Amino acid sequence: MPVTSPTENGGPAPDRSLTDEEPAEHRRFAAHLAALRSVAAADEAELVAAVLRDEDTTMARSAVVRHIDRRAALLLTDVRFPAWAHTLAAVVAGDDFLVRRLREWTLLSALASGGPWDRDELAGASDWCQRTAVTEQVPASPEALGWLAEHGRTRRVRNAAAALLRASGPRGPAPTRHGGKASNPAPGTPPPAA
């Protein structure tokens, strides 16, 4: 008997996740995700391309972005990341959203692995990218965190970056906030008068 969950009116609702009543695109989405989770590295690009050829482009893009997010997080500081990103970039080249997501994961990889990164690229990155950069998932450098603490697009990003800097200990002074503006005073410089 299928598992049930209550509906809004209190009655049971059948678990349709495994029934033929489930819309075809939902079944294909689940199948795409399962295939992408278990694909061998050598076959990954071909499978991503096949998923992107699905007639439901929105569903296909959603499955691929989930895959990119999962794989990029796993490979973030791995030496294989650049080659993986380069290979997938060719496959997703026709989709602006996927291209941007992959490019932002490449920026996050640089931040996490201590590679070179560009302040303008970080400034122009999406809110998602800046928020991800200030999570413990991305061990960004103190320099990157300091920049985000001062220049992050949202207060949430600035505060999270400053908190990570404070938590990291004696790597350098955490930026402080005075009068709504971020500053990183030189050692021994007193804070501005209120």
Side-chain angles (χ1 to χ4, degrees):
M1 178 170 187
V3 177
T4 60
S5 59
T7 61
E8 287 182 16
N9 65 7
D15 176 6
R16 296 174 14 152
S17 63
L18 301 175
T19 69
D20 289 336
E21 295 173 23
E22 188 73 25
E25 64 272 13
H26 292 196
R27 291 192 307 272
R28 286 196 322 276
F29 180 71
H32 289 327
L33 290 178
L36 288 165
R37 269 192 306 273
S38 62
V39 68
D43 301 325
E44 181 180 16
E46 184 178 328
L47 180 58
V48 168
V51 170
L52 288 174
R53 287 191 299 269
D54 191 285
E55 63 191 44
D56 186 337
T57 57
T58 302
M59 178 273 297
R61 176 190 290 160
S62 180
V64 170
V65 79
R66 280 193 191 189
H67 174 70
I68 288 172
D69 288 350
R70 184 183 63 76
R71 286 283 288 158
L74 290 172
L75 293 172
L76 195 62
T77 58
D78 193 297
V79 296
R80 296 173 295 171
F81 184 92
W84 171 81
H86 180 75
T87 299
L88 273 193
V91 176
V92 302
D95 187 300
D96 292 342
F97 176 77
L98 295 174
V99 167
R100 180 173 185 153
R101 182 58 67 96
L102 191 57
R103 187 177 64 241
E104 289 183 338
W105 271 113
T106 301
L107 173 61
L108 291 169
S109 178
L111 295 175
S113 63
W117 55 277
D118 182 73
R119 291 171 191 252
D120 290 337
E121 186 178 4
L122 188 53
S126 68
D127 288 350
W128 170 86
C129 181
Q130 288 192 3
R131 281 193 314 269
T132 303
V134 296
T135 63
E136 293 190 12
Q137 175 186 5
V138 178
S141 69
E143 179 187 2
L145 289 174
W147 189 91
L148 285 165
E150 292 186 31
H151 305 287
R153 184 175 302 110
T154 65
R155 184 179 309 170
R156 178 179 174 186
V157 166
R158 292 187 301 271
N159 289 342
L164 284 172
L165 278 172
R166 284 190 302 274
S168 68
R171 291 185 180 174
T176 56
R177 302 203 51 87
H178 300 287
K181 293 188 177 184
S183 65
N184 199 0
T189 306

